[in-house]
Amino acid sequence: LHVRDPQELMDRCRRAYEGGCLGVLLSGGSDLEGRLPWTRFLDAIKTIKTETGLFISAHVGFPDREICHRLHAAGVRQGLIDTMGDEETASQVYHLSGLGQVRQSLDGIAGSGLQLVPHIVTGLYYGRMKSEYKALELLRRYEVSALVIVVLTPLKGTPMAGMAPPSPIEVARLIAQARLMMPQVPISLGCERPRNRQGLTLEKLAIKAGA
């Protein structure tokens, strides 16, 4: 559901609460530095939390430490962040300054009081499994509340449009490795994944692998 300004965000969240929703996920497009316009919406988020008590989760982009603390102070409970494990993926796919920017954002979330919920996008490097296992190694340094594994979905009009996502067995192997490395962390198969017969196979394998 698209919102254009803080007032519309408050209105939508109030309606969600009145309709029986228990929580909301905030997300959006980022600027060229991988950041979202959180400052503009912080007061609205705080009002939503105060008035409704909704559980607020946010796909935070790649924020600095200050924004992480301000999101937490406003009432956001979870910080969701895409995590990759090599410089090429960070710079060529996400157009970030490098992997250091990802580490700084992970540090910011972890140190702010937000629950850290990293997402690993399998096939992120043009459909190839490239740095996903390195991403797991990176995340071992943090207290992770939950880990979400998603699958590249090629979108029309993007450089990834003609790319084939990884096979179900490739994704399941990553989930199995994550389960071995993080035995106490809940692992979810995220919403971005195939929804065809291949997707059904993936779901069955993911459960066997530890999701």
Side-chain angles (χ1 to χ4, degrees):
L1 300 175
H2 178 64
V3 297
R4 291 161 291 189
D5 53 55
Q7 185 61 52
E8 190 172 3
L9 177 63
M10 289 189 290
D11 292 343
R12 283 200 178 276
C13 287
R14 287 181 182 123
R15 289 200 296 271
Y17 172 71
E18 291 165 359
C21 289
L22 302 179
V24 293
L25 169 62
L26 307 180
S27 186
S30 61
D31 63 16
L32 294 178
E33 295 180 343
R35 292 175 176 157
L36 281 71
W38 291 119
T39 302
R40 184 178 173 219
F41 288 89
L42 286 171
D43 288 343
I45 293 170
K46 189 171 185 178
T47 298
I48 293 162
K49 187 64 178 180
T50 301
E51 290 186 0
T52 69
L54 285 169
F55 186 101
I56 303 176
S57 183
H59 225 309
V60 293
F62 299 93
D64 59 27
R65 189 179 300 270
E66 179 186 356
I67 288 295
C68 292
H69 280 279
R70 293 179 70 184
L71 284 168
H72 182 253
V76 176
R77 288 280 299 278
Q78 291 181 334
L80 284 57
I81 179 172
D82 290 356
T83 308
M84 67 292 300
D86 70 339
E87 296 288 345
E88 291 83 3
T89 305
S91 60
Q92 296 176 24
V93 177
Y94 274 80
H95 307 291
L96 303 175
S97 59
L99 196 58
Q101 186 176 347
V102 180
R103 292 194 186 98
Q104 288 174 2
S105 293
L106 288 168
D107 290 342
I109 296 169
S112 67
L114 292 169
Q115 297 175 10
L116 175 60
V117 184
H119 287 45
I120 296 179
V121 184
T122 57
L124 183 58
Y125 194 79
Y126 301 95
R128 289 168 45 199
M129 296 284 286
K130 186 175 187 295
S131 69
E132 289 82 349
Y133 289 91
K134 292 179 181 178
L136 288 179
E137 292 289 345
L138 174 61
L139 292 172
R140 292 183 78 171
R141 310 174 193 177
Y142 298 92
E143 183 177 342
V144 175
S145 295
L147 174 66
V148 180
I149 306 295
V150 293
V151 183
L152 174 73
T153 300
L155 295 177
K156 293 180 180 179
T158 73
M160 303 281 188
M163 306 302 168
S167 68
I169 194 66
E170 288 179 288
V171 180
R173 286 192 184 115
L174 181 72
I175 294 172
Q177 182 64 25
R179 172 51 65 228
L180 292 172
M181 293 172 66
M182 306 176 184
Q184 304 304 320
V185 174
I187 300 175
S188 296
L189 184 63
C191 57
E192 201 67 44
R193 64 179 191 269
R195 300 290 180 171
N196 50 19
R197 183 176 296 178
Q198 188 181 49
L200 182 60
T201 299
L202 172 58
E203 290 173 2
K204 293 178 179 178
L205 289 174
I207 293 171
K208 291 182 179 179

